[in-house]
Every structure is written in C-alpha cells, then in structure tokens.
Amino acid sequence: MFTTHSIIAFVFFFNVVVGFKSSCILPKDHRIKRYSCSSARWISATDESFKTSKAKGEDPWWKHEKLPHAYIAEKVRKDFPILQTSIQEKPLVYLDSAATSQKPKYVLDALNNYYERVNSNVHRGAHTLAREATSAYEEARDAVASLINARSRNECIFTKGATEAINLVAMTYGRTNVGLGDEIISTEIEHHANIVPWQILASQTGGTLKFAHVDKETGTLDVEEFKALLSEKTKIVAFQHVSNTLGCINPVLDLVEAVREKAPNAKIVLDACQSVPHQPVDVQALGIDFLAFSGHKMGGPTGIGALWGREELLNAMPPFLSGGEMIDQVTLEESTFVSSPGRFEAGTPPIAQAVGLGAAIKYLEKIGFDEIEAYEKELGEYLYKRLLECKGVTVFGPRQNRVALCSFYCEAVHPSDLSTFLDLEGIAIRAGHHCCQPLHQALGYSHSARASLYIYNTKEEVDKFIEVLESSIAFFESMSASSNGSNDEEFVPFI
C-alpha cells in the first residue's frame, strides 16, 4: 500500500474534479492508442508458462531469491553521491539508467581536478598547462581505444555523443558513397538517432532506405527479413547492438556475416549505446566498420561520446565540421586537412568531458566488464520475472537473451501518470516512446514505461519498485471502477 495514499488521492481529486486543467491538458494522441497487435502472446504477463505459483501459506519465491553477484552493487553504491538523495522525502530508487547513468565520485573528482588544476586548450600550446591538458585528453582517447579493442587510437573520434557520431558517418561517408539507386538498410527497432540521419541522407542523395521489422512472435528483430533485404545495391547497414526498448541483444556476428556475403560493398554502422556500458565490446571481433556510443550512459559526463571507424575509411572521408584544429595547411585559395582523428574534431573539443569519460572507463574496468555483465544479467532476469507476475502488465521484448531493462505497458494507467505516482515514492522510471516511435507503432502502443538498471541497483530496489507499481495499478483500477463509466474525454493526465 502507498504510505502517501492520502496525498495521491488529493492530487488525483484536485486534477480531475477541481479542474486543475489549464496547464495539464494534453492532446488526445498523447493517450494510449491500441492497435491490432499479434504480439500480445509473447509479451503478456498473462502467459501461464511464465507465472510462478506458490503453495498456500508459503513465502513468494522472490523473498528468498539470491543474486550471486549482488556484492557488486553493495560495493559500488557508496561511490555514487546522488544515490544518497531523497525524492519526496523517500530514498531515491533510480531506474532510468538507459536514459542516462549516475556518476561515480571518481568521475566527478576527475572533472573537478581538470578544471581546478589542468584547464587549458589542447594541441595548441607549449606551456605546462597546455601540455598537461593535451596529455589528459589523449589519455582518454587511449582509454576508449583499449575499451573497444581498436586497432589504433587514430580510429577513435570524440563527439558530443552517439547521435553526433552517427550523423558524422551519414554526412561524410554517406554523402560521398550513397547515390541514386543505392540502398541503406536499417531496422524498425532502432532509436530515432539511427533512423532520422539515414532518412535525411536518402532524401539528399536519391538513395532508398529500407527497414527490417520486429518479429512480433519473439519480440526481437526479424533476422530473416533483415538478410533478405541485403543486396549488391546496399551501401550502408545500420542497426543497434542492444535495443533500448525491447532489451533484446541483436546477433551481431550473424548479421555481419550476412552483410559481408550478400552486400560486399556495404559498410556496417553499429549503435552500441546500450552495450558498451554493460558488457565487453570488441570492434575487431565484431567485424563492423563503424561504432557509436555515449559517455553519459556509462558513468561519464554528458556531452561526450565516441565514434570508432576503420582508419582507412576515416582518412578517405571528408571533414564533418571545418575550422581550426582539423586543418593541415590553409591559404586563401584552399585548405588541406589532417588525418583522423583530428580531421573530425574541429575547434576546441570537449576536453573536460573527454577526461571524465576516460575516468568512467577506468572506474568500470576496475570493477570488470565480465562482472558487470554477469550481475546485470541476474538483476535483469529478476526484474523481468517479477514484472511478469504483475496483474495487467505487458512486458515488451524476448523471454531470453535480454539485458537489464524492461519496457512495459499497464492496462490501468497511462505511462506518464504511472511515472508520476512512482516519483511520489522516490522511484524514477522513464515514460514515453523512448525515441522509438516506429517500434511502438508496430507493437500497437503509443507509449510505454521503462525500468532500466545499472551496476548500482539492487534486488531490494526492484522489490520496492514492484510493490509501488502494484499499488499504483490497484489505485487506478479502483478509481476506474468508482467512475462508473464516466466520459474519458474529461480525464486529464497529470503530465
């Protein structure tokens, strides 16, 4: 039960009955739209094969569940100052790390140290601070190269994030190599950052953009359709390593093999935002051509990410932005450009952010990515199993081979309202389409809620989340029952 039921009831009453509507009314299309969807069987909590029963009088199974790697969260939680924060006078339970992770003190200290003791521009001065700043910046590049097993540090370009990294590839390699009649292959399950740049590229070059769809029976990418789209016309193939909504792990090696066989001229762009922070990633072993990830999802600062690309490809690509730092020689008639990575880092780069990213990588490597992956697999499976037991909850994605995030839909409550209710208990989740509108449309929903985990989350936090989730659902069901079929047009969501 809610410990703040009276407050919640008041908020609900004030919003719906008193008429606090002027700032809260949302367009009708913000509400859930239900479409015909054959996928309910694989994502529904009503699937009896995934329900766990208990004998009368016994404790539920989860009361005694032990996670072998739970010591990781116990060890690292103290490193994240924000986790000591209270929200609505309740301990913060942060379940939104797929949107952005929290930052360990090790990273915060690295940022403060840079600004307090090292701050200077890089690559441009011979004085002590300039040399130290350059060293710190380039050491961060070495950390990125080591993290993903790049062949050379020159293959690692700092960007504002994965969105800029993907746009960089589209606007340089894409504009140079995609023309009329050429094809770009992506998938329906992508984040918008891996859809919109290719739409723009296709419209500018006369290329054709094709999409493989979600398999509604498995909750994963339709791999066979993906393979069938490939041909000698294919010039770029772009897909996620891990879905930020379905939680599925794409079979990258299988997909790469198919591309090399059926589309030998194509280059492969991998969105690794939801994999690099959580598991070992080796670009050489994956056999791809470009990889993008963001620092803020792995304990690093916002405003920093990286693009990895094969060095020979990068050096053949035109610059992305132009100005200082990326030039070799400049005359009034023409300019020449340095090789990668400088070619793609025009102007003063995000120096402090890069230093912070380097610190985040060191912090995670000290824990060990194999350990991180093992713990998140345990915790993610626990979250998934507990959500499946919640009445009226539909969980998106596959049953197996998934990461520690769950997107879900509750019959009784809009995701935005659910997020508001959970926030009253200090629990932070994501509500919306998670930058995956085409995927949501394919599944038959306009929005969903999402709980996503990281190394600092615990089994106890998952239990608290499920407790409040079930209380919220019960509350809204009771309100619906008491409304006696009142007109839905009069209902005003909280946010």
Side-chain angles (χ1 to χ4, degrees):
M1 296 294 292
F2 278 114
T3 59
T4 57
H5 245 143
S6 60
I7 297 176
I8 297 170
F10 172 77
V11 172
F12 188 90
F13 177 83
F14 190 66
N15 186 52
V16 179
V17 180
V18 177
F20 182 56
K21 298 180 179 180
S22 60
S23 62
C24 297
I25 295 178
L26 297 175
K28 292 180 181 180
D29 61 6
H30 184 75
R31 301 187 181 113
I32 287 293
K33 296 179 180 178
R34 299 304 303 274
Y35 305 91
S36 174
C37 181
S38 62
S39 59
R41 183 178 64 79
W42 56 262
I43 58 179
S44 176
T46 60
D47 190 332
E48 295 298 327
S49 66
F50 268 75
K51 281 193 171 185
T52 305
S53 61
K54 70 181 183 71
K56 186 176 181 179
E58 292 182 358
D59 286 337
W61 65 271
W62 51 268
K63 285 280 189 181
H64 307 289
E65 186 81 353
K66 301 295 182 183
L67 305 183
H69 289 81
Y71 64 86
I72 292 178
E74 296 171 2
K75 181 179 179 181
V76 306
R77 281 185 65 83
K78 67 181 186 303
D79 297 338
F80 293 82
I82 200 170
L83 298 183
Q84 312 309 314
T85 301
S86 293
I87 303 294
Q88 312 290 354
E89 300 184 351
K90 304 294 175 62
L92 171 63
V93 177
Y94 186 77
L95 306 180
D96 196 21
S97 292
T100 195
S101 68
Q102 298 303 340
K103 321 305 177 191
K105 193 170 185 302
Y106 185 77
V107 171
L108 302 178
D109 288 346
L111 289 168
N112 288 334
N113 181 72
Y114 171 79
Y115 279 122
E116 291 176 357
R117 300 177 181 277
V118 183
N119 183 50
S120 181
N121 216 323
V122 295
H123 306 144
R124 302 181 186 185
H127 58 79
T128 298
L129 289 182
R131 294 198 307 271
E132 290 181 354
T134 299
S135 177
Y137 181 71
E138 294 301 336
E139 283 176 9
R141 193 187 311 277
D142 290 335
V144 170
S146 175
L147 172 69
I148 60 176
N149 193 30
R151 295 176 183 83
S152 165
R153 65 193 313 277
N154 297 332
E155 296 181 325
C156 301
I157 300 161
F158 286 124
T159 63
K160 290 189 297 185
T163 298
E164 183 176 78
I166 294 170
N167 275 273
L168 191 160
V169 177
M171 295 177 68
T172 57
Y173 182 85
R175 287 181 178 176
T176 305
N177 293 278
V178 175
L180 184 65
D182 291 333
E183 295 180 351
I184 306 162
I185 307 301
S186 190
T187 86
E188 187 177 46
I189 72 174
E190 301 303 311
H191 188 285
H192 295 160
N194 207 21
I195 293 177
V196 179
W198 309 120
Q199 290 176 332
I200 293 174
L201 175 63
S203 69
Q204 292 175 338
T205 62
T208 301
L209 179 57
K210 296 183 176 182
F211 294 96
H213 297 86
V214 63
D215 184 334
K216 296 177 183 178
E217 293 301 313
T218 64
T220 61
L221 174 66
D222 187 334
V223 172
E224 294 309 310
E225 182 186 18
F226 175 92
K227 293 178 180 179
L229 291 175
L230 300 170
S231 72
E232 292 187 356
K233 294 182 179 180
T234 306
K235 291 298 177 67
I236 293 176
V237 180
F239 57 90
Q240 290 176 322
H241 194 171
V242 171
S243 168
N244 68 308
T245 298
L246 298 174
C248 62
I249 305 171
N250 279 325
V252 176
L253 294 178
D254 186 27
L255 300 181
V256 168
E257 182 180 7
V259 173
R260 299 308 184 207
E261 177 183 347
K262 301 183 69 174
N265 298 319
K267 297 298 179 276
I268 301 169
V269 183
L270 187 67
D271 173 0
C273 281
Q274 301 295 340
S275 59
V276 167
H278 305 281
Q279 63 190 62
V281 173
D282 184 330
V283 294
Q284 295 189 57
L286 291 175
I288 56 179
D289 299 296
F290 299 97
L291 176 142
F293 71 93
S294 293
H296 70 95
K297 297 182 190 293
M298 56 187 300
T302 55
I304 187 68
L307 170 68
W308 169 85
R310 296 180 185 273
E311 190 167 5
E312 64 274 17
L313 293 177
L314 295 174
N315 286 332
M317 288 158 48
F320 176 46
L321 301 175
S322 57
E325 194 72 7
M326 46 75 69
I327 56 88
D328 178 26
Q329 296 290 326
V330 176
T331 68
L332 294 181
E333 290 73 33
E334 62 179 3
S335 299
T336 56
F337 313 115
V338 296
S339 300
S340 178
R343 173 175 298 204
F344 304 102
E345 295 181 2
T348 297
I351 307 167
Q353 292 91 332
V355 170
L357 174 57
I361 292 170
K362 292 176 183 177
Y363 177 83
L364 295 174
E365 287 181 333
K366 186 175 180 180
I367 299 169
F369 277 92
D370 288 331
E371 295 284 285
I372 292 170
E373 183 180 25
Y375 177 55
E376 290 188 10
K377 179 177 176 59
E378 296 165 2
L379 192 62
E381 288 178 351
Y382 181 73
L383 169 65
Y384 180 67
K385 196 172 181 180
R386 292 228 55 198
L387 274 171
L388 284 179
E389 295 186 326
C390 293
K391 178 184 176 182
V393 171
T394 298
V395 184
F396 298 176
R399 299 169 175 173
Q400 308 284 335
N401 195 33
R402 55 183 301 130
V403 298
L405 69 84
C406 289
S407 298
F408 59 97
Y409 168 68
C410 299
E411 293 288 342
V413 54
H414 190 282
S416 295
D417 297 331
L418 176 63
S419 177
T420 300
F421 269 50
L422 290 170
D423 186 60
L424 291 171
E425 294 291 319
I427 300 171
I429 67 165
R430 178 68 33 170
H433 48 66
H434 322 312
C435 293
C436 291
Q437 286 182 307
L439 174 59
H440 276 81
Q441 292 163 6
L443 296 179
Y445 300 87
S446 63
H447 299 76
S448 65
R450 184 183 68 193
S452 53
L453 311 175
Y454 205 24
I455 52 175
Y456 38 67
N457 291 120
T458 66
K459 173 180 177 290
E460 291 73 24
E461 289 183 315
V462 173
D463 291 338
K464 179 64 177 177
F465 161 61
I466 296 296
E467 174 191 351
V468 179
L469 172 64
E470 291 179 330
S471 295
S472 300
I473 292 171
F475 176 75
F476 271 92
E477 286 179 337
S478 68
M479 294 300 298
S480 178
S482 65
S483 68
N484 295 319
S486 62
N487 187 359
D488 181 63
E489 293 301 314
E490 298 176 358
F491 177 74
V492 182
F494 292 145
I495 61 173

